Structures are given as structure tokens and as C-alpha cells.
Amino acid sequence: MNLLRLFGKKTFPRGIHLEEHKAETNAKPTRRLPFAPEIIVPLAQHVGKPAKAIVFKGQLVTRGELIAIADGFMSVPIHAPVTGTIKEIGLAKTAQGGKQAAIIITTSLSSGQQLLDSDIQFDYLQMSREELIQAVQNTGIVGLGGAAFPTHVKMQTPADCSIHTVLVNGCECEPFLTTDHRLMLERIEHLLQGIRISMKCVDAPKAIIGIEDNKMDVLHAIEPHLPDDNSIRIKAIATKYPQGAQKMLAYSLLGIEIPSGSRSSDAGLAIFNVATLAKIGALLPKGHGLIERTITVTGDSLENPGNYLAPIGTPLRYILDHAGFKGKEAGVILGGPMMGIPVRSLDVPITKGTGGVLVLDERATRRDDISPCIKCSSCLQACPINLNPSELGLLAAKRQYDVMEEKYHLNDCFECGCCSYVCPSNIPLVQYFRIAKTLNRERHLQNG
């Protein structure tokens, strides 16, 4: 057994300790961002099939109105983030480069932006599991921790699995990001409501909220609101990256190891991010759709860093202008510094999966020259799932992608970036692994 589990705070083996850089925003209450003059709503904001637009150019839409329907079970609908006029249904830039289908809305800045009236009031206690899962899909909610996996699909647990515990991920282990921290202080009622709904969806008798011990104010704020029957608890675990990954969280909170190739449901667990469940708790009982989310805007060259409640589809350029950004586009990342996406243009929108906008100056984003691997084993000591990143990197250089997958468990890598971070030779290992996975997927598709 890991000595840290015996004598110290609960944690998982390996991983890394990072500078947190959270002090600039974690004590600031969430503020609402003004509505941008134009909103860009991509139809593919989630894992699975894109939504299908049901509006037309020139149509007036009201904030909260359904504008795109789910295209099957592995899809979610999209609701209008603002009241305005449909300007266009066409192609729009993405953060990764390229373009994708989107609905572009010209905001009616004089409308008051009131939500669409709704008489719906769902009593989740009276709903069947199937009705609840359908209601979750109707909200359009996906994993707000960044994965953007449809939440209703995740709640459809396999028939051969029995869920004994819902784990609620409140670790927020990426440096700089503090949206989950603020949410757990400011939306306790919604969070607990969402946890109860998720417990009913997966038929779990108990839930545990896991936070890192750099958020003890959250523990003290939530504990008085927990039920007396102990069905929902909160636990603090050691602050370490990537504590918020599913396998790490399960081990740190319960000592449960999820084996290679297994699902969390195989271990009797259903794992959700706090932001996802808080949104379900806020929206599902009223029959509302997901139209806005909280994002951290932080980093260098910002006059007004903070956490902002922003309409989904708000362009980055508008957000950064509001935050007083004076830097260059090359230093902007969607998400955190470890797993975020470098942005190629500021004329792209935030989506349902965007938890932060991070600005780093040129010094912070500069990479030194890459040197050959010196076999120091730093990456092996850092990898939280016990892979051999050094060997995988050497195989990637030889383009032996099939060997990486078949003999070295490439697909277990969830791209946390620990190996690249500690590599003294500056080898971009995680980028190599992403390329290898992509090429392997294409090969499998070609082979049927």
C-alpha cells in the first residue's frame, strides 16, 4: 500500500506538483459578462454527432429557445444563448484551426435578454430513471470539465453494472483555473440538487464530493448543507496533478483501482464534474437548456482577470477585450496550461467545454530546443497510470504506432502532459501520443 495513504493525506502514486497560480482569481466572486454583439454557436460542441439546426436566416430567437435538436442518442440539443436574429447558418473558425458548422446570432442588445418563459416544473423524485435521463439530454448538458461528453449517455450505465457510489470531481487540479472553486462556494444548492439527480439516474445510494486540500473553504461551506443520513459526503485529498482524472480520483477517495481497459462503471462508480452536476441541478427542474457557463479568464497582460458567467458562443476577442487583454494571440489557451488548446485565432467562440481562457506571455510559451532522450526515467516517475512514456516516445519516432497501442497501452494515456512537463530534453511526448492515437484510429477505420 502507498505510504502516503497510510501516513499522509490520501492521494495516488506518481503525478507531479505544480505551481497553482490560482490566487489572482479564486477569491473573486463570479461576475456576469455583458452580451457580445454577435454570438457564434457551433453545432458540434460535444463528443458524438453534431446537433441539427432548426432555425433559418432572419429568424428572431429568444434567449433559451431551442435552435438545434439532438441527432440521435449520442448527441445533445442547443439553445439560443441570447435573444436576437439569426444572421447566418454556415461555417465558423474553430480554436484548433479549420472551420465547422455554426449558427451565428446578432444579439438584440436592447431586448433586456429575458429568458424564454416556461411553465415546466419537473419533480425529479416522481420521474422514472428513463424520464430523468431524457430530461438531462433535453438540457443539452455535456461534461463541463472539458471532455464535453454527453452527460445523459454517461448516466446510461450498462445493465451488467451496479453503481455503488457517485464521485463528484471538485479537484480542479489544472493551474490557473478556479471556476469550480467559485461554483462550489456560490452554487451549493444547485450542486447538491444535481448530485441527488445523478444518484437517482445511476441508482447509487451514496455520493462523495472530492476536493483538493487547497480548497478547505469549500469543505467548510458545503458541510453544513449535507444530509444527515450521510448519503452525500465531502472529502479533501492531497493537492497534486492530475488528481481530477477519473482513475486518480477513484484511487485517492476510495482506494479503488480501475484496471486498464475497464470503465469506471465496472468498478461500481459514476464520476461527474461539479460544474456539470450544478448545471443539472439548476436547469433540469425548470426544463431549461444550457446557454451559459462560468469561465476563468486569467494569466498575463490582463487588467481584469476573474471568473465570468458568459453566454456560450461569446467570441474570445470580446471576452479578452472586456478583461483588458493587451497581449498577442499566440499566447492564448482555451483551458488550463497542461491539457488546454492553444488558440490560433481570437475570432472563435467559447463552447460548452470551455472552462478557462489563459493568457501566457511569450516567455511562458517558449519551448527550448528538443534533445535526444537521456533515459533519466523522470517521465516514468511522473506518469500517473504507470506507462513508459520514454519507450513510447522512441517508438513514436520510429512510427511504430501499432506497437505503442498493442504492447505499451497507448490508449490508457489520457494526455495529462506530466511526461512532457518533466522531460529535461523537452521532448513533446504527449503531442507524439496524440498523433499516434489519431493515426491508429484512422488505420482501424480503414481496416473496418
Side-chain angles (χ1 to χ4, degrees), residues 65 137 146 177 322 362:
E65 181 178 340
Q137 183 180 21
L177 303 185
H322 188 82
E362 292 181 0

Side-chain angles (χ1 to χ4, degrees), residues 95 297-302 316-317 319-320 325-337 340-348 350 354 356-362 365:
V297 184
T298 188
D300 304 314
S301 308
L302 291 172
L316 274 185
R317 189 179 301 280
I319 293 171
L320 293 179
F325 174 51
K326 305 297 182 185
K328 297 180 179 179
E329 297 184 13
V332 179
I333 295 172
L334 282 185
I341 302 170
V343 174
R344 297 189 177 185
S345 166
L346 294 187
D347 297 316
V348 300
I350 61 162
T354 304
V357 179
L358 174 61
V359 180
L360 297 175
D361 62 22
E362 292 181 0
T365 56

Side-chain angles (χ1 to χ4, degrees), residues 199-265:
M199 291 168 67
K200 181 161 185 181
C201 282
V202 300
D203 196 24
K206 63 181 180 180
I208 302 174
I209 305 168
I211 61 164
E212 290 188 329
D213 59 4
N214 60 358
K215 304 179 188 65
M216 295 307 288
D217 55 341
V218 168
L219 186 143
H220 299 315
I222 290 180
E223 270 189 332
H225 299 271
L226 296 178
D228 295 334
D229 62 5
N230 219 25
S231 58
I232 304 175
R233 294 178 291 154
I234 182 167
K235 286 186 176 181
I237 48 184
T239 298
K240 190 168 67 171
Y241 183 83
Q243 189 71 263
Q246 293 198 9
K247 290 186 177 184
M248 281 67 259
L249 190 66
Y251 186 84
S252 296
L253 286 173
L254 297 171
I256 293 176
E257 294 189 43
I258 301 174
S260 172
S262 297
R263 303 160 297 188
S264 56
S265 56

Side-chain angles (χ1 to χ4, degrees), residues 116-121 286-288:
L116 184 70
D117 288 334
S118 172
D119 296 328
I120 296 176
Q121 289 291 329
K286 297 179 179 177
H288 288 169

